[in-house]
């Protein structure tokens, strides 16, 4: 009995037919490319990189628009710089997303890393704000209901002594580290430990405010993991937010007074206390509120399951901020497409 092996002498027409067949199978990347006007980000990218790119005597820098799309690929598929370069060379879908062909040049891993470093947290924040303006113009953020929550973002764990950890917690550099720059460069002195539901976390937090209806992120900040969820709340709020949903961790007299002062409808979950458990009406109210507040978990679920955004490879808050911010922007891009938005 004969079987097909799939092997046959290949040629130029076979390559063209394979590419044509792949173009008929739309991927999430194709849909993103068709709906998003990437030129929107060019002024922010070029303006931020003008003073850092094109140094006299250096090579011609890569197009910022191309590099930004590469960062989107890297974050969406949770790739290292080395793997990003390889996958662009290896996958037709990546090349199609970037507008490249097999014979075109591809930025190497060092170019990708350097671009990300130069863009930094400020550049990523600027890109996030630009896209936020598009979302507001399309009415996707018009709903007055907001949800606030935070997720842990883990980083490589440090192997320090108790004495070193105590000095780091006191915002001091442990003795001997300054004399060894290589060792200091590998130490994350901004990340912290936290325990939640008997689980230990090390790294940072991604506190966000999202629209309750569209589940799009409107604002975010970055803190270390030990900061209580409620502390960055005021930083996330805007005037005239309408209703604010959040779990019971945000409930306190101080926050209740702040929401009242701002004229916001307080829809925070009720909190029980020792010797003062929640009564049945309060439990029923929390259940109703949970049907709305749970929508933020869908957001975090996408970031964790698709993008693995609950873990980053970098060391230090300076690099954690753009990594976390990029994860929030990439989520908004794909959510925008899912909602049927189009900028083209």
């Amino acid at each position: 009995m004969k079987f097909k092996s799939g092997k046959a002498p290949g040629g130029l027409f076979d390559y063209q037919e394979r590419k044509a067949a792949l173009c008929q199978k739309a991927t999430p990347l194709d849909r993103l490319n068709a709906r998003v006007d990437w030129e929107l980000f060019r002024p922010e990218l070029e303006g931020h990189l003008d003073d850092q790119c094109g140094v006299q005597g250096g090579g011609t820098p890569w197009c910022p628009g191309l590099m930004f799309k590469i960062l989107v690929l890297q974050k969406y598929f949770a790739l290292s710089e080395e793997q990003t370069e390889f996958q662009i060379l290896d996958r037709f879908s990546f090349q199609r997303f970037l507008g490249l062909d097999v014979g075109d040049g591809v930025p190497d891993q060092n170019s990708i890393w350097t671009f990300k470093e130069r863009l930094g947290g400020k550049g990523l924040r600027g890109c996030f704000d630009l896209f936020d303006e598009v979302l507001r113009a399309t009415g996707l953020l018009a709903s007055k209901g907001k949800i606030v929550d935070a997720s842990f973002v883990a980083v490589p764990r440090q192997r320090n002594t108790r004495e070193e950890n105590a000095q780091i917690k006191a915002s001091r550099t442990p003795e001997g580290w300054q004399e060894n720059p290589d060792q200091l460069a590998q130490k994350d002195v901004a990340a912290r430990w936290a325990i939640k539901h008997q689980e230990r976390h090390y790294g940072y937090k991604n506190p966000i405010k999202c629209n309750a209806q569209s589940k799009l992120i409107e604002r975010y900040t970055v803190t270390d993991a030990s900061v209580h969820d409620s502390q960055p709340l005021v930083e996330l709020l805007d005037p005239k937010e309408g209703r604010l949903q959040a779990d019971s961790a945000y409930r306190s007299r101080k926050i209740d007074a702040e929401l009242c002062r701002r004229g916001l409808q307080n829809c925070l979950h009720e909190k029980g206390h020792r010797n003062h458990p929640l009564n049945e009406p309060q439990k029923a109210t929390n259940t109703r509120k949970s049907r709305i507040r749970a929508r933020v978990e869908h957001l975090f679920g996408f970031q964790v399951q698709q993008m693995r955004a609950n873990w980053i490879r970098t060391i230090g808050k300076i690099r954690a901020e753009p990594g976390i911010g990029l994860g929030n922007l990439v989520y908004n891009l794909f959510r925008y497409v899912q909602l049927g938005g189009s900028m083209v």
Side-chain angles (χ1 to χ4, degrees):
M1 182 180 294
K2 293 184 178 181
F3 298 94
K4 290 183 178 181
S5 65
K7 296 180 180 179
L12 175 61
F13 293 108
D14 296 312
Y15 165 73
Q16 293 176 335
E17 290 174 0
R18 174 67 63 85
K19 284 195 67 178
L22 288 173
C23 287
Q24 299 301 315
K25 302 180 183 296
T27 68
L29 293 178
D30 295 316
R31 291 189 286 273
L32 183 65
N33 232 4
R35 298 290 181 87
V36 174
D37 180 10
W38 298 100
E39 289 300 308
L40 166 75
F41 303 103
R42 183 178 292 273
E44 175 69 24
L45 296 171
E46 291 183 347
H48 190 75
L49 300 173
D50 268 348
D51 297 334
Q52 305 178 55
C53 293
V55 180
Q56 186 175 3
T60 303
W62 287 94
C63 170
L66 171 68
M67 298 301 295
F68 179 69
K69 292 177 76 173
I70 288 177
L71 295 190
V72 171
L73 277 179
Q74 181 184 25
K75 193 65 181 181
Y76 183 64
F77 290 98
L79 302 172
S80 65
E81 282 78 20
E82 181 181 9
Q83 271 297 306
T84 301
E85 178 189 356
F86 173 78
Q87 295 296 341
I88 294 172
L89 292 168
D90 187 61
R91 299 172 69 166
F92 283 137
S93 60
F94 280 26
Q95 294 169 20
R96 188 165 66 247
F97 176 72
L98 298 173
L100 301 176
D101 209 335
V102 173
D104 295 328
V106 172
D108 61 20
Q109 57 181 307
N110 292 331
S111 298
I112 298 171
W113 184 87
T114 300
F115 177 82
K116 188 190 300 183
E117 287 288 293
R118 286 173 170 169
L119 189 58
K122 185 178 179 181
L124 259 303
R125 177 76 67 172
C127 292
F128 182 92
D129 291 341
L130 278 176
F131 193 60
D132 183 77
E133 293 177 8
V134 172
L135 298 176
R136 294 186 184 280
T138 57
L140 291 172
L141 301 180
S143 170
K144 293 297 184 180
K146 313 297 177 183
I147 309 174
V148 176
D149 207 345
S151 64
F152 287 105
V153 180
V155 297
R157 295 189 175 187
Q158 305 288 296
R159 305 301 177 187
N160 305 323
T161 65
R162 290 186 177 181
E163 292 75 13
E164 289 172 339
N165 281 331
Q167 293 179 62
I168 291 172
K169 194 172 182 179
S171 300
R172 299 197 305 269
T173 302
E175 298 177 2
W177 286 13
Q178 294 286 7
E179 289 74 21
N180 190 344
D182 293 334
Q183 179 187 18
L184 185 60
Q186 298 300 318
K187 294 296 185 179
D188 195 329
V189 296
R192 293 290 185 271
W193 286 96
I195 299 177
K196 185 174 182 179
H197 301 315
Q198 299 182 343
E199 291 184 0
R200 292 170 60 83
H201 302 269
Y202 179 77
Y204 299 91
K205 272 185 180 179
N206 177 26
I208 60 99
K209 179 187 68 182
C210 77
N211 187 278
Q213 182 173 339
S214 64
K215 294 189 285 189
L216 287 161
I217 299 173
E218 297 188 15
R219 185 171 288 190
Y220 72 90
T221 186
V222 177
T223 69
D224 66 70
S226 67
V227 174
H228 193 270
D229 290 359
S230 62
Q231 290 188 28
L233 176 62
V234 175
E235 182 181 348
L236 297 173
L237 295 179
D238 287 321
K240 301 179 181 179
E241 293 280 22
R243 299 182 306 277
L244 183 68
Q245 303 272 351
D247 62 35
S248 59
Y250 293 85
R251 173 71 75 172
S252 70
R253 291 182 180 179
K254 181 179 179 180
I255 290 178
D256 290 347
E258 180 65 23
L259 298 184
C260 181
R261 187 183 70 82
R262 291 171 177 256
L264 305 181
Q265 184 179 347
N266 189 339
C267 295
L268 306 183
H269 278 46
E270 300 289 342
K271 180 189 290 187
H273 299 279
R274 182 179 296 179
N275 300 325
H276 292 87
L278 295 178
N279 55 38
E280 293 305 318
Q282 288 176 318
K283 291 179 181 178
T285 300
N286 280 355
T287 299
R288 289 195 299 271
K289 293 176 179 177
S290 293
R291 293 169 186 159
I292 299 175
R293 197 207 65 82
R295 295 175 67 82
V296 74
E297 303 300 342
H298 306 161
L299 183 163
F300 290 137
F302 178 91
Q303 288 189 325
V304 172
Q305 295 173 19
Q306 172 59 49
M307 301 160 52
R308 287 180 281 176
N310 60 331
W311 187 82
I312 53 178
R313 297 178 172 88
T314 58
I315 295 175
K317 189 176 181 180
I318 292 177
R319 288 182 176 144
E321 286 182 346
I324 293 171
L326 180 61
N328 292 331
L329 174 57
V330 170
Y331 165 80
N332 271 2
L333 287 168
F334 280 92
R335 178 62 181 164
Y336 173 76
V337 173
Q338 189 179 33
L339 292 170
S342 177
M343 299 162 54
V344 180

